[in-house]
């Protein structure tokens, strides 16, 4: 049995065919720059790679091309269901679901909360139902894992009507990663999820951290949108909300334009003026750029501060798990973050950290001190597993 996992963005379609039991990717690929002259579809299957130019192709053409590719390579026959990543499920969806018309309507009813992501996610679902009839479709939400947060964690201190009439609250994102990594961390340290209190730091281009108790999210750093919380590649994360009105006045722009800058020109990119990419900034810092060094230091300081804040939702910190491109690979970022967490009882094992925890079952802190681990994430595998479980 295999599952086709689809992640439809506004100008890209990521796909993978995954064996949900064995866990391996059978084929992975990416359709990108959709709608433009440079639209293309690339894939990698068992060591073989391919790319086709598909000038002007949109989502429909690319999904059709993916189906043709899977047929040509003899993979379509084993695909028994399609798992769709859906970004915003609002307060309606607390778990993955089999898609029928009422689920499509429910996702559409969350479009105001995820205006950039939900419409392309829905387009992918609609196209699969038309182009690949007969296969069940499952929606797996970025927000669902966080629906277990208690009200003191998910409510904002704003007028009550903002919550009741306008759905203003924390929803949280990266739920599939936090769920996968928290379960994986428990497996790695031989603890039952039911008895484990931990914090997961998902650090990629987008970054968020989550407190997990008994396998359930109890607090997270992202909010109504993915702009809240940690400093990220191009997103500011937390700041005084009055900055928005202040800069709107100063620049003669409206709030939307300022929020666009906070989403796309801030974070590591904004502070360094060099790049949104951690690898590039670490290199620039080594070569003497003070702006790059400051951006990295701010990233680690603010991350540590958020982790300390999440600890108030736990009775104890059984472990801190680092994941995502930065969390899994960036030795100095983990080192500086652990340094700032000294007061909570974390102390780095430098050799273990330098090896990304590979020879210590993930552990990067010194024995006898608070436990921090590197735990590789695999959101696609969790989507495939949920899909397989739901379609039976
Ligand atoms: P993701 O969104 O999970 O793919 O993560 C992307 C981020 O991970 C980028 O900022 C990359 O620079 C960063 N990253 C990937 N590999 C490394 C590495 N070896 N060292 C530092 N950062 C890395």
């Amino acid at each position: 049995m295999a599952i086709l996992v689809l992640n439809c963005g506004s100008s890209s379609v990521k796909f993978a065919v995954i064996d949900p039991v064995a866990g391996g990717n059978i084929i992975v690929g990416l359709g990108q720059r959709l709608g433009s002259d440079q639209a293309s579809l690339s894939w990698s299957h068992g060591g073989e790679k391919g790319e086709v130019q598909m000038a002007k192709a949109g989502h429909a053409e690319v999904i059709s091309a993916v189906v043709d590719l899977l047929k040509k390579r003899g993979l379509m026959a084993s695909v028994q269901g399609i798992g769709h990543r859906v970004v915003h499920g609002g307060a309606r969806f607390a778990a993955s679901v089999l898609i029928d018309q009422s689920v499509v309507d429910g996702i559409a009813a969350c479009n105001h909360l995820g205006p950039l992501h939900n419409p392309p996610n829905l387009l992918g679902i609609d196209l699969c139902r038309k182009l690949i009839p007969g296969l069940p479709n499952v929606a797996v939400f970025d927000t669902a894992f966080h629906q277990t947060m208690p009200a003191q964690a998910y409510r904002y201190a704003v007028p009550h009507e903002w919550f009741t009439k306008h759905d203003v609250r924390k929803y949280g994102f990266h739920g599939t990663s936090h769920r996968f990594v928290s379960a994986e961390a428990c497996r790695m340290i031989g603890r039952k999820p039911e008895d484990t209190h931990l914090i997961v730091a998902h650090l990629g281009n987008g970054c968020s951290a989550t407190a997990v108790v008994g396998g359930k999210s109890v607090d997270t750093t992202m909010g109504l949108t993915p702009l809240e919380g940690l400093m990220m590649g191009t997103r500011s994360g937390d700041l005084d909300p009055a900055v928005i009105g202040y800069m709107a006045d100063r620049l003669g722009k409206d709030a939307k334009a300022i929020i666009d800058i906070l989403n796309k020109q801030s974070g590591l990119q904004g502070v360094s003026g060099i790049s949104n990419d951690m690898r590039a900034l670490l290199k620039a810092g080594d070569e003497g750029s003070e702006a790059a060094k400051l951006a990295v230091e701010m990233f680690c300081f603010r991350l540590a501060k958020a982790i300390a804040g999440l600890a108030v939702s736990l009775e104890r910190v059984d472990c801190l798990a680092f994941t995502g491109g930065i969390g899994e690979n960036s030795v100095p970022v983990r080192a500086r973050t652990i340094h700032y967490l000294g007061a909570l009882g974390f102390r780095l094992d430098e050799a273990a950290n330098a090896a990304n925890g590979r020879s210590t079952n993930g552990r990067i802190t010194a024995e006898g001190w608070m436990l921090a681990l590197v735990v590789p994430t695999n959101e696609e595998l969790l989507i495939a597993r949920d899909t397989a479980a739901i379609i039976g």
Side-chain angles (χ1 to χ4, degrees):
M1 181 204 219
I3 301 293
L4 171 60
V5 174
L6 268 196
N7 181 353
C8 269
S10 56
S11 62
S12 69
V13 175
K14 273 192 205 157
F15 74 94
V17 174
I18 295 177
D19 177 334
V21 181
N25 286 343
I26 298 163
I27 184 169
V28 294
L30 172 68
Q32 56 187 335
R33 298 181 288 269
L34 305 190
S36 78
D37 288 341
Q38 287 80 39
S40 66
L41 175 65
S42 57
W43 49 266
S44 160
H45 176 207
E48 213 183 315
K49 288 181 194 295
E51 177 160 5
V52 278
Q53 299 306 312
M54 298 183 64
K56 298 265 184 263
H59 291 77
E61 290 82 4
V62 166
I63 290 177
S64 290
V66 169
V67 174
D68 289 344
L69 177 69
L70 298 185
K71 281 184 182 155
K72 226 182 267 169
R73 307 210 133 234
L75 299 172
M76 203 59 211
S78 66
V79 173
Q80 302 207 349
I82 307 169
H84 297 263
R85 176 177 182 217
V86 179
V87 169
H88 220 307
R92 285 167 186 259
F93 297 103
S96 304
V97 283
L98 186 66
I99 297 175
D100 59 15
Q101 194 52 43
S102 73
V103 169
V104 169
D105 295 344
I107 296 170
C110 298
N111 278 358
H112 65 299
L113 295 169
L116 300 180
H117 297 105
N118 275 25
N121 298 160
L122 274 172
L123 179 62
I125 291 169
D126 184 50
L127 288 169
C128 284
R129 292 170 94 198
K130 285 186 183 134
L131 298 170
I132 323 173
L135 277 186
N137 291 273
V138 167
V140 179
F141 300 90
D142 268 22
T143 49
F145 182 57
H146 302 297
Q147 279 299 303
T148 46
M149 285 191 289
Q152 73 267 21
Y154 74 68
R155 286 288 298 274
Y156 291 118
V158 295
H160 186 63
E161 296 71 27
W162 288 20
F163 171 62
T164 52
K165 293 201 180 131
H166 303 290
D167 308 317
V168 173
R169 50 159 286 178
K170 234 180 205 300
Y171 292 95
F173 297 86
H174 292 141
T176 41
S177 180
H178 290 299
R179 195 174 128 215
F180 180 88
V181 169
S182 55
E184 191 62 10
C186 291
R187 191 191 61 73
M188 286 163 69
I189 61 177
R191 293 188 66 108
K192 289 189 187 141
E194 307 85 271
D195 305 328
T196 307
H197 294 227
L198 74 157
I199 294 170
V200 178
H202 175 106
L203 311 175
N205 269 321
C207 302
S208 69
T210 295
V212 181
V213 173
K216 296 189 163 96
S217 168
V218 290
D219 192 11
T220 193
T221 55
M222 281 180 167
L224 174 79
T225 76
L227 181 55
E228 189 183 345
L230 306 178
M231 181 171 166
M232 312 181 209
T234 61
R235 294 184 205 135
S236 63
D238 292 339
L239 85 170
D240 180 347
V243 168
I244 296 169
Y246 174 79
M247 285 310 296
D249 286 348
R250 298 289 294 184
L251 300 179
K253 293 177 187 272
D254 62 11
K256 263 198 170 151
I258 301 300
I259 290 169
D260 201 52
I261 296 173
L262 295 177
N263 268 309
K264 298 184 186 151
Q265 298 173 41
S266 301
L268 292 171
Q269 171 69 54
V271 174
S272 70
I274 295 173
S275 174
N276 65 337
D277 188 283
M278 184 57 84
R279 246 176 314 194
L281 289 186
L282 291 169
K283 185 162 175 285
D286 287 344
E287 290 165 0
S289 163
E290 291 304 321
K293 282 187 208 166
L294 175 63
V296 174
E297 199 62 27
M298 282 175 64
F299 181 93
C300 302
F301 174 75
R302 295 169 72 98
L303 169 62
K305 214 158 84 161
I307 289 169
L310 290 168
V312 303
S313 291
L314 312 182
E315 285 171 18
R316 51 180 196 278
V317 185
D318 292 320
C319 97
L320 164 64
F322 287 94
T323 196
I326 298 171
E328 291 169 35
N329 300 296
S330 177
V331 174
V333 167
R334 290 191 307 259
R336 290 305 292 161
T337 307
I338 294 292
H339 163 81
Y340 281 122
L341 289 169
L344 290 190
F346 287 91
R347 168 137 344 152
L348 197 69
D349 176 332
E350 284 192 23
N353 186 46
N356 291 325
R358 251 179 242 117
S359 47
T360 45
N361 192 28
R363 181 180 55 77
I364 56 161
T365 40
E367 305 233 37
W369 295 78
M370 294 286 282
L371 179 62
L373 298 174
V374 173
V375 181
T377 192
N378 194 338
E379 297 171 79
E380 289 78 17
L381 177 56
L382 190 67
I383 294 173
R385 281 187 192 156
D386 271 13
T387 304
I390 285 172
I391 67 178

